[in-house]
Amino acid sequence: MMTGNDAIRMTGLCKAFHDIPVLRHVHLRVAVGESIAVMGENGAGKTTLLRCLAGIVRWDRGQLWLHGKPVTRSGMSSRDGSRDGASHAESCRDIGMISHACQLYPNLSLCENLLFAARMTGLPHPRKQAHAWLERIGLAGQAQWLPRRLSHGMRRRVSIARGLIHQPSILFMDEPFSGLDRQSRQWLADLLARLQRQQKSICFTTHDPRNADQCADRVLALQNGVLREIATDPNSAHEASHPLIAPRLIA
Amino acid sequence: MLMVTQFYWMVRKDLVSEYRARQVWPAMLMLGTLVSFLFSAQLDGVVEGRSRIVGMLVWLAIYFAGILAMHRTFAMEQEDDCWDALRLYPVTASWIYLAKFTVNFLTLATLQVVVLGLFVVFSNVPLLDHPLRMLTVALLGNVGLTSVGTLLGGVWTENRQGSTMLAFLTLPLAAPVLLAASEATRLVIDQEGGPLWWRWLSFLVVFSIVFVTAGIVLFELLIED
Amino acid sequence: MQRSDLKIVSARWLTWLVTGLLVAALGMAMRVAPMEQSMGQVQRILYIHVSVAWLGLMGFAVMGVCAMLYLLHRNMAWNRWSQAANEVGWLCSSLTLFTGSIWAHAAWGTWWTWDPRLTTSLLLWALYSSCLILRGSIQESHRSARITSSLALLGLIDLPLVIMATRWFRGIHPTSPEMEPVMHFTLLLNVIGFTLFFSLLFLRRLRQLQTDNLLRKLELEALVNHPYPPLSAAGG
C-alpha cells in the first residue's frame, strides 16, 4: 500500500460513545508538511478525532498509519494482544499533542515543566533544550515562575513549547486559538507557518473560519461523524456554501 | 535505560510537587496522628486482648490516612489534563504504575513511622520490641495496601467525590491485607512465632506479589483511554 | 448474544417450566427427603443454601470474566452481561448468608462465627455489593462500566487468595457430610432447579438491560437529529 508520502493516513475510523457513533468511517490523508483545520459544532467529535489520531483513545474500527507505519495503540491491537511497546514509543516520539488544557503541572516551574517533558521523551541535553524553548516563546526571564502566575496566553505558549520540545513531525492541536488575544493569535499563526516550512504536518481544530483559512492548507468539517472537505484553496474567498461556515461569515 | 530515567523523573516530579504544595502529607500525617491519639485514648481501660485491638487499630489508622495520599497521586495528574500528556510520552502504563506505586509506598512508609511511633507512646504496647519483625510486617503490609490502592487510584481519578470513594473501592480488596497485617502485628506484640506467624507472613508476601504483578500487567487495561 | 437471540427467555412456557422444576425440587426438599436425625427440620434449608452458594460463586466468575472482556474490548454489551451477573449473583450471595445464618443458629447455636468459609462468603458479598453500589453511583455509563469492571476483575484475583488463605485455618464449616441417596438426589435436583431458575432470571435481566439500552439509543438519536427547538416554540 502506498502510504509512504502521507504523514497521516486514516481509513474507515469508527468510534462510538454510549453506542452512539461519534465518528463514522472517517477517512483522512495528510501529506508531509501539510496543515489541515478541522471545524465542527460543539460535540461534533473534533477532540475525539484528534485524540484517536494521537492514539490516546481506543477506536472501534478502522486503521491508522503515521508515516506509513500502522499505529497499534487502539482497542484493535489490544484485542489480539499484539501491542508492541517499542513501536508505541516510536510513534509517541513522532507525535506532539497540545490539548485544550495547558497540561502544565501547577507546582513545577515553567523550566521544570519543560525539563520534565524533555526528559520523558528522552532528549539529549534536556536543560539546553528547555532554555532554548523558553527563549523562543519569550519567557526566558520567567523560567522559575509557577504556571499560575502567568496569563492564559503565556501559559498557552508554554504548553505549545511542551508539546513541541521533542521536535515531533506530526502535530495535533485542539483549539489552539481559543481564548487568545490578537497578538497571541498572530504569534501562533506565525509559529504554525514556520513549522510547516520545516515539513511538519499539522492538524488543528478551531471554531473560527479565519484561523482555519489563515493557517491551514485544507479545511475539513466534521458533521454527523463524517469528515468533509469544505475549502481546498485558502486563497480563494470561500463563497463556502457549506452550512457550517456560511452563517458565521455573514454574521 | 530510558525507562529507568523516566521512572526516576516521574517519581521525583511527584515528590517535588508535594514538597512544594504540601497538599497531602500534612493532612495525612495529621489525620494519622489524631486517629492514633483517639484510638489510644479509648484503649486506656482495656487490659485483656489489648494486643489484638492495637494490631487492628494501627492498620486502620494507616489505611484511612494513607488512602488520602493514594488518591492524590493520580488526581493531581487530572488537574490540568496532564494525564493525557503523560500517556503520550514514550513510556508504558506499567512504568507509570510503578512510579506511582513508589511514590505511594514512600508516602505510606512515612505515615507508618508516625502512626507506629505514636501508638508506642500513647498506648504503651511493646510494638517495637522486635524491630526487625515489626519492620517486616510494616513493609509487607505497606506493599500490599499500596499495590491495591495505586491500582484503584488509577481507576478512580475523579476529584469530585475525593478519596472517600477510593477508600470505599479499595476496602473490600484490601480487607485481607488489613486482616493479615493486623494479625501479624498482634503476633509481634505478643512475641509469638511459629507456624501461624509464617502463614500470615507468607500470605502477605503472596498478596503483594500477586497485586504488584496485576498492577504492572493490568494497569494499561484499567485506566481511562 | 444479541437482544433478538434472547427472545426465548420471555416465553411464558419457559418461565412456567423452570418455575415448576424449582417448586418440585423445593417440594422434594421439604417433604420427600428424609429428616435429618440430629438437626430436625431446619436441616432442610441446606438444600437451598448449597444451591445458592454455588450460584453465588458462579455469578462472581461470570461477572469477573465479562468485566475483563469489557475492559479488553470496551464494548458496553459485555458490561450489561457483567451487570446482570452482578445483580443476580448478589441476590444469591445474600441468600447464601441468610440461609447459612439460619442453619448456623440451629447447628452451632450462633448466627455468625468467624469460620474461614464464612469470612470468604462475607467478603464475596462485600465485593458484589461494592460493584452494585458503584454501578448506580456513577452517572457516565462508560466511566461507571470501566470502574466497576476493574473492581470486579481485581475481585476475581482477590478471591482465590482469600480462599487459599482460609485453607490454612481449620474451620468448622462442614464440607461434604454423609448423606442418604435420596438426600443426594434431592440436593442435585435443587442445584439444577436453582441454577436454571437463576439463569433464566439472569437472561431476562440481560434482555431487559438490552432493551433499556436500545430505548436510550433511540432517544439520543432523536435528540441528535433535533438539537435545538425552534426559537418561537421556546416562547421567546
Side-chain angles (χ1 to χ4, degrees):
Chain A
M1 204 174 287
M2 284 297 292
T3 52
N5 291 330
D6 293 331
I8 306 167
R9 182 193 157 91
M10 181 168 74
T11 55
L13 191 111
C14 299
K15 168 78 189 170
F17 281 120
H18 311 265
D19 295 331
I20 298 286
V22 178
L23 304 174
R24 312 174 198 235
H25 296 282
V26 173
H27 296 271
L28 178 67
R29 287 177 87 145
V30 180
V32 171
E34 192 182 20
S35 166
I36 65 158
V38 178
M39 298 186 62
E41 288 165 5
N42 291 332
K46 300 186 298 291
T47 305
T48 306
L49 176 67
L50 279 199
R51 284 162 64 91
C52 281
L53 284 168
I56 306 177
V57 172
R58 288 163 225 243
W59 55 85
D60 302 330
R61 225 178 300 154
Q63 276 167 307
L64 173 67
W65 292 267
L66 297 179
H67 287 303
K69 275 176 284 184
V71 174
T72 51
R73 187 170 198 158
S74 67
M76 308 288 288
S77 68
S78 70
R79 201 167 300 175
D80 49 35
S82 66
R83 178 174 297 169
D84 185 358
S87 83
H88 165 230
E90 234 169 75
S91 70
C92 279
R93 280 198 198 90
D94 277 349
I95 296 172
M97 170 96 184
I98 292 151
S99 97
H100 185 64
C102 288
Q103 305 186 316
L104 300 174
Y105 289 104
N107 297 312
L108 298 185
S109 70
L110 303 187
C111 184
E112 283 166 328
N113 262 298
L114 292 184
L115 267 174
F116 181 68
R119 280 166 174 150
M120 288 303 286
T121 43
L123 283 186
H125 314 298
R127 203 164 279 278
K128 222 166 77 186
Q129 294 275 2
H131 282 292
W133 268 101
L134 282 171
E135 294 271 344
R136 216 167 294 168
I137 58 175
L139 290 171
Q142 285 79 20
Q144 299 311 320
W145 286 23
L146 293 183
R148 75 174 84 97
R149 285 180 67 188
L150 300 179
S151 70
H152 176 74
M154 289 177 180
R155 269 209 300 271
R156 170 62 69 193
R157 288 187 195 191
V158 183
S159 93
I160 289 170
R162 192 206 61 78
L164 289 178
I165 198 162
H166 58 293
Q167 307 274 337
S169 57
I170 302 172
L171 193 58
F172 300 111
M173 300 173 115
D174 193 11
E175 308 266 356
F177 291 99
S178 74
L180 294 185
D181 58 20
R182 198 143 58 119
Q183 206 185 347
S184 305
R185 277 160 190 260
Q186 194 51 51
W187 176 84
L188 184 54
D190 291 344
L191 178 74
L192 289 182
R194 206 176 61 200
L195 289 169
Q196 227 184 323
R197 281 199 296 278
Q198 295 167 4
Q199 290 298 301
K200 312 267 187 208
S201 310
I202 301 162
C203 200
F204 66 96
T205 66
T206 181
H207 280 296
D208 190 342
R210 276 169 301 181
N211 294 139
D213 268 358
Q214 192 183 2
C215 301
D217 300 329
R218 280 189 295 153
V219 182
L220 304 163
L222 191 61
Q223 207 176 16
N224 292 330
V226 182
L227 201 58
R228 285 198 197 84
E229 208 153 301
I230 51 177
T232 35
D233 186 1
N235 297 322
S236 77
H238 39 51
E239 60 287 0
S241 55
H242 196 276
L244 255 177
I245 288 204
R248 290 205 177 85
L249 282 178
I250 296 160
Chain B
M1 193 55 217
L2 176 61
M3 303 218 169
V4 178
T5 53
Q6 281 172 335
F7 170 78
Y8 170 75
W9 288 111
M10 279 192 281
V11 172
R12 198 189 139 108
K13 173 212 45 144
D14 281 359
L15 292 178
V16 166
S17 283
E18 179 51 38
Y19 173 73
R20 295 225 178 109
R22 294 180 201 93
Q23 268 170 315
V24 197
W25 282 42
M28 172 190 79
L29 294 178
M30 196 60 211
L31 185 64
T33 307
L34 285 176
V35 170
S36 312
F37 173 69
L38 286 174
F39 281 171
S40 307
Q42 197 52 35
L43 264 177
D44 206 26
V46 181
V47 182
E48 214 169 304
R50 204 179 165 83
S51 58
R52 201 172 272 278
I53 299 172
V54 168
M56 191 72 230
L57 292 185
V58 165
W59 284 97
L60 271 183
I62 291 170
Y63 174 76
F64 281 108
I67 265 308
L68 272 182
M70 308 240 192
H71 173 251
R72 185 66 205 153
T73 45
F74 283 101
M76 68 167 278
E77 298 284 350
Q78 297 285 331
E79 239 159 53
D80 201 12
D81 226 358
C82 294
W83 182 239
D84 274 359
L86 191 63
R87 298 267 288 131
L88 264 181
Y89 292 128
V91 58
T92 56
S94 309
W95 280 101
I96 299 179
Y97 173 79
L98 281 176
K100 295 292 182 191
F101 173 86
T102 309
V103 173
N104 285 340
F105 176 84
L106 294 174
T107 313
L108 208 63
T110 316
L111 178 70
Q112 282 179 317
V113 170
V114 172
V115 168
L116 285 173
L118 285 173
F119 263 95
V120 170
V121 174
F122 285 147
S123 71
N124 191 29
V125 281
L127 271 171
L128 300 178
D129 282 7
H130 286 276
L132 212 62
R133 288 176 72 184
M134 192 60 230
L135 185 71
T136 318
V137 176
L139 263 171
L140 288 173
N142 185 342
V143 174
L145 287 182
T146 308
S147 57
V148 177
T150 309
L151 198 48
L152 285 168
V155 172
W156 182 262
T157 50
E158 202 66 9
N159 232 338
R160 260 177 299 157
Q161 276 144 304
S163 51
T164 323
M165 204 64 181
L166 185 61
F168 170 71
L169 278 173
T170 316
L171 198 52
L173 290 176
V177 186
L178 287 175
L179 284 173
S182 311
E183 194 59 20
T185 308
R186 178 185 75 84
L187 294 174
V188 171
I189 299 171
D190 288 350
Q191 313 196 347
E192 279 177 38
L196 203 57
W197 158 258
W198 288 111
R199 270 182 199 160
W200 285 119
L201 220 57
S202 48
F203 175 76
L204 285 173
V205 171
V206 171
F207 189 96
S208 301
I209 292 174
V210 167
F211 269 91
V212 172
T213 316
I216 293 172
V217 175
L218 294 177
F219 197 61
E220 167 88 56
L221 204 61
L222 303 194
I223 50 180
E224 195 146 21
D225 46 24
Chain C
M1 216 183 291
Q2 296 299 308
R3 188 174 158 272
S4 51
D5 298 338
L6 286 174
K7 203 171 173 185
I8 187 170
V9 300
S10 340
R12 196 166 289 174
W13 61 267
L14 191 68
T15 313
W16 282 115
L17 188 74
V18 171
T19 314
L21 188 68
L22 182 70
V23 170
L26 282 174
M28 279 282 286
M30 293 307 145
R31 291 272 166 256
V32 182
M35 199 172 82
E36 210 250 352
Q37 290 301 311
S38 55
M39 283 185 63
Q41 300 290 0
V42 186
Q43 180 267 344
R44 294 181 191 277
I45 205 166
L46 176 120
Y47 297 113
I48 304 174
H49 178 70
V50 172
S51 308
V52 287
W54 130 260
L55 284 169
L57 277 172
M58 254 322 272
F60 200 79
V62 172
M63 175 174 85
V65 170
C66 291
M68 192 169 75
L69 287 169
Y70 168 77
L71 288 169
L72 278 173
H73 300 296
R74 301 284 166 135
N75 183 345
M76 284 302 275
W78 287 119
N79 186 53
R80 288 189 282 276
W81 279 76
S82 165
Q83 181 174 355
N86 191 346
E87 287 167 0
V88 175
W90 181 83
L91 189 64
C92 292
S93 179
S94 306
L95 280 174
T96 311
L97 293 182
F98 185 68
T99 52
S101 210
I102 293 172
W103 187 88
H105 190 66
W108 303 330
T110 169
W111 296 106
W112 189 265
T113 173
W114 288 103
D115 173 81
R117 191 80 77 94
L118 272 66
T119 313
T120 317
S121 307
L122 189 67
L123 205 69
L124 178 77
W125 182 84
L127 280 166
Y128 263 132
S129 307
S130 303
C131 288
L132 206 59
I133 292 169
L134 263 182
R135 277 182 211 281
S137 66
I138 306 168
Q139 293 297 318
E140 213 263 291
S141 63
H142 267 273
R143 268 175 45 74
S144 157
R146 183 178 57 89
I147 294 170
T148 315
S149 300
S150 305
L151 189 62
L153 178 59
L154 294 178
L156 203 60
I157 299 172
D158 202 54
L159 208 63
L161 287 179
V162 178
I163 292 172
M164 181 197 79
T166 51
R167 278 276 169 79
W168 291 336
F169 306 98
R170 204 155 43 85
I172 50 174
H173 191 284
T175 43
S176 49
E178 303 237 324
M179 281 199 283
E180 282 178 43
V182 187
M183 291 167 112
H184 255 303
F185 178 72
T186 311
L187 184 61
L188 186 70
L189 197 67
N190 268 282
V191 169
I192 294 172
F194 271 95
T195 307
L196 286 176
F197 181 77
F198 279 106
S199 302
L200 187 69
L201 203 64
F202 165 73
L203 290 174
R204 288 192 86 150
R205 176 64 180 145
L206 182 62
R207 188 167 147 86
Q208 195 181 28
L209 289 171
Q210 286 169 338
T211 311
D212 180 57
N213 177 59
L214 189 68
L215 199 65
R216 220 177 311 171
K217 196 167 154 181
L218 290 173
E219 278 174 0
L220 262 170
E221 260 166 21
L223 194 73
V224 168
N225 291 334
H226 304 283
Y228 300 110
L231 271 176
S232 57

